Amino acid sequence: MGISRQCASKWVNRFRRHGELGLLDRSPTPHRSPSAAPVEIVTRIEYLRRSRKWSARRIGLELAAEGTRISVRTIGRHLVRLGLNRRRFLDPGGEPNRAPRRIIARRPGHMVHVDIKKAGRIPDGGGWRVHGRGSAQDLAARSAGKRKRP
């Protein structure tokens, strides 16, 4: 028959108890979930997301301040079920969360941030591109590179 004795027994018992309907596929979801979040909490999550456009983390902080501790992941699951997990689902028109404001710098250069990745072996003070080929800095960098290699 190609199935185990336990599996065959299970199907035979289902047929005896329920007839043809017992042989149909059943949903694997549980019949009840006692640890599920109450409906009031889910409603509060939906209200905070729609009205304030807060993230799951911010909603979790607000609920904790109100005395209900619920994980950020659980809030995220509820937002997915409600269809509110993406910002574009919340505001199809692309309405911004905050009004744009003018950025005012305290002094010149105060808001400049540059990330530098030193991918090549460029010597401190610059290489041949800065000082030219054959310059003292270029020759020093070349000889230093040769000395380091075994």
Side-chain angles (χ1 to χ4, degrees):
M1 207 154 122
I3 60 172
S4 67
R5 186 177 48 81
Q6 292 91 349
C7 185
S9 173
K10 176 176 66 173
W11 286 101
V12 168
N13 287 332
R14 279 189 192 173
F15 181 76
R16 286 180 182 158
R17 262 189 249 127
H18 306 290
E20 293 276 334
L21 294 176
L23 300 178
L24 296 176
D25 287 338
R26 297 192 292 184
S27 173
T29 58
H31 294 291
R32 60 187 194 86
S33 181
S35 64
V39 177
E40 299 85 33
I41 300 296
V42 177
T43 306
R44 182 79 174 128
I45 290 170
E46 182 178 9
Y47 172 76
L48 291 172
R49 179 67 170 167
R50 286 188 189 276
S51 64
R52 307 249 173 93
K53 301 177 185 175
W54 283 347
S55 66
R57 185 166 305 282
R58 181 67 181 93
I59 292 171
L61 291 172
E62 180 69 19
L63 291 176
E66 294 173 1
T68 306
R69 297 204 44 88
I70 187 168
S71 75
V72 175
R73 180 68 180 111
T74 303
I75 294 170
R77 281 194 203 109
H78 286 298
L79 291 177
V80 168
R81 262 186 232 122
L82 294 167
L84 301 174
N85 57 320
R86 298 271 183 203
R87 184 61 191 266
R88 65 178 175 267
F89 302 156
L90 192 60
D91 293 325
E95 189 178 315
N97 198 17
R98 295 176 288 278
R101 296 181 303 177
R102 184 175 173 83
I103 299 173
I104 301 170
R106 290 183 217 123
R107 62 188 187 295
H110 137 256
M111 298 187 71
V112 175
H113 175 84
V114 179
D115 286 336
I116 297 173
K117 178 179 179 183
K118 198 169 180 179
R121 290 179 290 138
I122 304 169
D124 293 333
W128 65 267
R129 287 182 191 256
V130 175
H131 302 289
R133 288 194 187 268
S135 66
Q137 289 87 350
D138 179 33
L139 295 175
R142 284 187 194 190
S143 63
K146 288 180 183 174
R147 273 187 260 133
K148 289 180 184 175
R149 294 183 189 156

